[in-house]
Amino acid sequence: MLSEDLEWFITLAELERVGAAAERLHLAQPTLSRMLGRLERRLGVELFDRRGKRIILNEFGRIYYEQARRAQSELDTAAKSIADLNSPANGVVRLSFLHSFGGWLVPQLVGEFRRGSARITFALRQGPAEMVATDVFDGTSDLGIVSPRPSVAGIGWRGLLRQRLALAVPADHRLAGRRQVRLAEVADEDFIAMHSGYGMRRIVDELCAAADLRPRIAFEASDLVTVAGLVAAGLGVGVLPEEDLGPASSARVAAAKVDGRLAGPVLIPLADAGATREVGVVWSAATSAPGAARRFRDFAEGWAERRGGIP
């Protein structure tokens, strides 16, 4: 069954008069008769019994009519779903983001956005930076929140914020009381880092290369909370964004026990050039995002501007 056959055939089947159907469809009567003839030749059967000026559905015609009505209903439903999805006031935003943004940035953005757009829902995916970029590139997600900026071609980018980076050390570390530190000062120590493919690992590798440092990686993790915990336990040092784990302070002693648990590492701001993490929203530059996703992206850009975000 071809979609172009549906409307005129359903109208003809319900009116059972070629003239009346042609008038409703704004077609010439001979044109409608030829369309019916072509359809019947394609199917190899007649769909109507001719009785003077009237035509009446026969057994073959009733089968075709029932399927045509069902198909038309499905297409109408699909059209409505597409319209809802593309509407800025409705639909679903498919959003991928780094694990570390699940504790504060994404909840803050989504929460503030939903206060003015409660009918828009979200489908969330978390993973490393490479996964976020791939999700956006192949259409699995409409938008991504990621750091650093992906180097993949065809990805749009808008910076949202820039986070300062800090050296994370155990509470009893020799540098724990410092106000600033350079990576070169811990060149001989064990490092706790993210796995390869994660945005923070790429940033740390680039900072170490700029400092002419080859870090000795003792442990790798897939989230920043684990990195912080391993550092607090005295298993090495690491590089963490200040904003993800709270304000940095040399007085913030993570080895202190809180209900029997380690509270977190001491964070010392890095003095190295470029010791920041750029966070932004990404989308496919090759396709047009649904209306709901465009609305959320515009909101995120406005949120960044109100915070004095980055270009």
Side-chain angles (χ1 to χ4, degrees):
M1 184 184 301
L2 300 177
S3 58
E4 59 265 27
D5 294 334
L6 298 179
E7 182 181 3
W8 70 260
F9 177 79
I10 291 171
T11 301
L12 185 59
E14 291 177 347
L15 294 179
E16 294 189 325
R17 289 183 180 273
V18 175
E23 183 177 351
R24 179 174 296 184
L25 294 166
H26 305 291
L27 294 173
Q29 185 171 331
T31 299
L32 183 56
S33 296
R34 285 195 297 270
M35 291 166 65
L36 175 59
R38 283 196 298 269
L39 176 60
E40 290 179 325
R41 286 193 297 274
R42 189 167 71 241
L43 295 174
V45 295
E46 290 188 350
L47 301 174
F48 294 88
D49 293 332
R50 276 68 172 174
R51 297 181 183 175
K53 293 184 178 181
R54 288 200 62 187
I55 56 174
I56 300 174
L57 281 173
N58 59 27
E59 183 178 2
F60 300 119
R62 283 192 293 273
I63 292 173
Y64 198 87
Y65 172 70
E66 290 169 3
Q67 295 298 324
R69 286 294 303 270
R70 186 175 294 113
Q72 186 66 66
S73 176
E74 293 290 338
L75 289 173
D76 289 345
T77 300
K80 183 178 183 304
S81 296
I82 291 171
D84 287 345
L85 182 62
N86 197 45
S87 168
N90 301 289
V92 178
V93 178
R94 300 174 301 163
L95 179 66
S96 291
F97 55 94
L98 303 187
H99 287 287
S100 59
F101 299 147
W104 68 283
L105 179 57
V106 169
Q108 183 175 342
L109 284 172
V110 172
E112 291 184 19
F113 175 76
R114 288 263 295 166
R115 281 196 281 274
S117 306
R119 295 172 64 185
I120 293 177
T121 58
F122 284 77
L124 305 177
R125 274 172 56 87
Q126 294 171 266
E130 288 183 357
M131 185 212 81
V132 174
T134 299
D135 278 359
V136 169
F137 187 79
D138 67 15
T140 299
S141 293
D142 305 310
L143 302 171
I145 296 179
V146 69
S147 176
R149 182 173 182 168
S151 56
V152 181
I155 297 290
W157 164 271
R158 175 62 166 88
L160 298 179
L161 57 93
R162 194 184 303 274
Q163 298 175 303
R164 295 178 63 191
L165 299 179
L167 181 72
V169 299
D172 58 355
H173 193 274
R174 59 186 172 83
L175 299 173
R178 291 275 295 275
R179 295 178 61 85
Q180 274 192 330
V181 67
R182 292 185 176 276
L183 279 174
E185 297 180 65
V186 289
D188 296 328
E189 302 199 27
D190 288 340
F191 272 72
I192 316 296
M194 301 285 283
H195 290 289
S196 296
Y198 284 75
M200 268 303 297
R201 177 60 178 269
R202 175 181 149 192
I203 291 171
V204 171
D205 287 346
E206 291 174 353
L207 284 173
C208 288
D212 197 23
L213 167 64
R214 291 188 177 183
R216 185 171 63 246
I217 307 297
F219 295 93
E220 294 180 316
S222 57
D223 61 76
L224 294 179
V225 173
T226 301
V227 172
L230 293 172
V231 171
L235 297 172
V237 300
V239 176
L240 295 172
E242 294 179 4
E243 203 165 351
D244 279 5
L245 298 171
S249 168
S250 60
R252 184 170 172 245
V253 179
K257 297 281 186 173
V258 178
D259 294 332
R261 294 175 295 172
L262 293 174
V266 174
L267 299 181
I268 312 165
L270 281 171
D272 297 74
T276 58
R277 178 164 85 149
E278 191 178 16
V279 180
V281 60
V282 293
W283 61 91
S284 172
T287 60
S288 178
R294 293 196 303 271
R295 184 169 179 176
F296 180 69
R297 185 178 70 197
D298 291 344
F299 170 84
E301 292 180 0
W303 177 90
E305 289 172 1
R306 291 192 296 274
R307 287 174 50 101
I310 56 179

